Each structure stands twice: as C-alpha cells, then as structure tokens.
Amino acid sequence: MRRKLAALLLCLLLVFQMSAVPSEAAGTVYFTAVNKNVLSLSDATMPFWSGGYLYVPSTIFTGVGRDLGVSYYPNIAKQTVLLYVDDTIYSSLVFDLNKDYAIDNEGNMYFQKPIQRGGVIFLPISLIARCFGLLYSTVEVDRGYLVWVRNPDMDMEERYFADAARSRMDYEYSQYLRNQGTAAEETVPEQSEPSVVTGQRIYLSMEAAESAAVSSLLDTLDRYDAQAAFYCTAGFLEEAGDLLRRMSAAGQAIGLIADAADDRPVTEQLEAGNRLLSQAASVKTRLAWIRNATAEAVAEAEAAGFCCLTPDLDRSAYPLSSTGAADTLFQRVTSRSGAVTVWLGDGANAAGLGSFLSAAEAADDRCLAMTETVS
C-alpha cells in the first residue's frame, strides 16, 4: 500500500511539474535589439515577415529607440504615422494606415504599407533603414532570431553582438515564457500571415526578361501567395514600369543586373539601374546579380552598398519549365537544411513555377522574397 501511495504521489508531482513549465509554448521567436539594448520579448511586439519584408514594431522608435535619431509621431485622427529626423520634416516618411504605400518629404512613393496588429503599428524596417541611414540585421540565435536595428556608428560584428546579448535574451525569453504561462488566454494576430516562419525558407531568384512571361510568373506567385526576387536589366527597367510597380506593391523583391564584362564599371551600371527603378516605381534596391562576376567586381559592388546574390543553387542551366523540372528542383532544395537561395535565370515559366510552388505548399515550405540580409 505504501509503495502504491508513493507511486501515486510521484505521478502527481510529475504532472504538476510538467503543467507548470510551458516549454513548447513559444517555438521560434524573434528578439529585438536597438543599438546596445535588447528589448522586452512579447507576442504583441514581435517582428514578423509579410510580403517578403521584415516588419518591426513602431515602438522601437520610442523609449531607448530614441537613440536611433528617428522621431515617431502617430496622428490618430488622420490614421497616419510620421517618422522624421532631427525634429524637422526635411527627412521624413509618412505611413497611412488606410493605404498600401508610404511617402517621403520629396513626394516619392514607396509601396510598402504599415500593418496594424492589435494596438501596435508595425513598419517595414528595410524602407526605414534606407531612408534614414540606419542598419539592421537578422541573426540566427538560440530559440529563433535576433533583429538588430542600429545606427551606423555601432561598429560591432553581428555575431559578436548576438553572443554578447545572449544572457539578456535568455532572461527575456524566461520572462516571455512566464507571461505566457500566466496569461488568461492566448491572443491571435488579426493578420492571416503567421509571425513565425515555419517549414523550409526558399528564396527563388530569376531574371525578369520578357514582359509577358514575367506577368504570368507574377500571376502564379499571387495564386500561391508566394514571393520571389526578380533581377532586372536596364532594358526591362525602361520598358516595364507597370510590372515593376506591381512587383513592389505585391511584396516581390526587385534586384538589378550588371555585367562585369561591360565597359562600364559595375557600380555605374547598378546606380543607373536604380535611377530607372526609382523613376518607374519610386523605390530603390540594394540587391544585385552580377554576370561574369569576378571577385573584384563583387567587392566593388558591395563597397558601394549593394548586396550581391550568391545562390546556394544555380539552376539557370536547367529551365523550370515543366512538372519534371519542378520535381527535380524541389528534391535538390529539400536535400538541404535551413534557408536555400536558388538562381533560376530566365528559364522559368508559369507551369514549372506553379508545380514547384504546389510541392512547396504541400510540404509547408515557404517561398519568400529575397532580402538584403539573405542574399
């Protein structure tokens, strides 16, 4: 009898201990840091990806975030958010919660919209960093990722900062689990897209060649709610303004193509491409694909602030134009672990892309737009 009673008490103790620790509640999380400060971790303010863009809470520009030098002013009556520098509006961005674009002080439009979840407004950090000269990184850490937003004078390597911030992230994570365990009920974001990327992350990159073909590829991406990166020649940038605006509005990534064998320097080609892109869609990019690349050409482009694509898989010699080609590509991609970048060249068509996206969807993988921190 005593043995049975002792066994019962042990079982009750184990049940109590297991129920008291929400060890699997959180899954992958996104920590946020501003300059040297790791911020509190919560579902309400956790960064997330949407339309290929990384979104951060607007609250990073308040409190310790004021050290970034960017001021934040929400206008509840007009449903707008103003970001500006040095207490002036001479360098500013205005986001309208009812529109899918932002406008700077020169009247340029950027087709990256604000997203409101609960009572928190989230903003695309890539656009803000570009307009105000900030830096940002996503670093893989224990339990998830660290989104680090900082001023350019924060001269510290990303991995070194993540290692130095580990104890603080451990503390914030334990507080996060504790708050989850004591919450009255679990809150669900209003947006349909999850804040945590699940499955394998696939970054498809292709050349924007013929307009009709690109339009069909965009239709296919829309049908599967997927994103990709389209790298454009100067000729495409000059002729396909409607498609460029559509890409930007749909959250597709846009890159530039330069040729190291050209007489003009690579940076000159890329800067000319950005001028054409700005004229067509009021956006600029730092993504670049360099044909006939040399180490010197890549170094030159990166020194000028461009992010050169270095794909994990170069499939440009194998057109993604059929179900068989899609199956082969999917096998190659899934044989790798973690995020995979793929260069398709100009050989993809709607049929092949659709077959690949269907397979990825069935496997719970996600095709995302290329970002500056992935390329």
Side-chain angles (χ1 to χ4, degrees), residues 205-216:
S205 301
M206 61 196 82
E207 179 178 344
E210 197 270 327
S211 294
V214 171
S215 181
S216 296

Side-chain angles (χ1 to χ4, degrees), residues 120-133:
V120 180
I121 298 170
F122 290 82
L123 303 173
I125 187 58
S126 60
L127 174 59
I128 294 170
R130 185 166 67 246
C131 289
F132 296 111

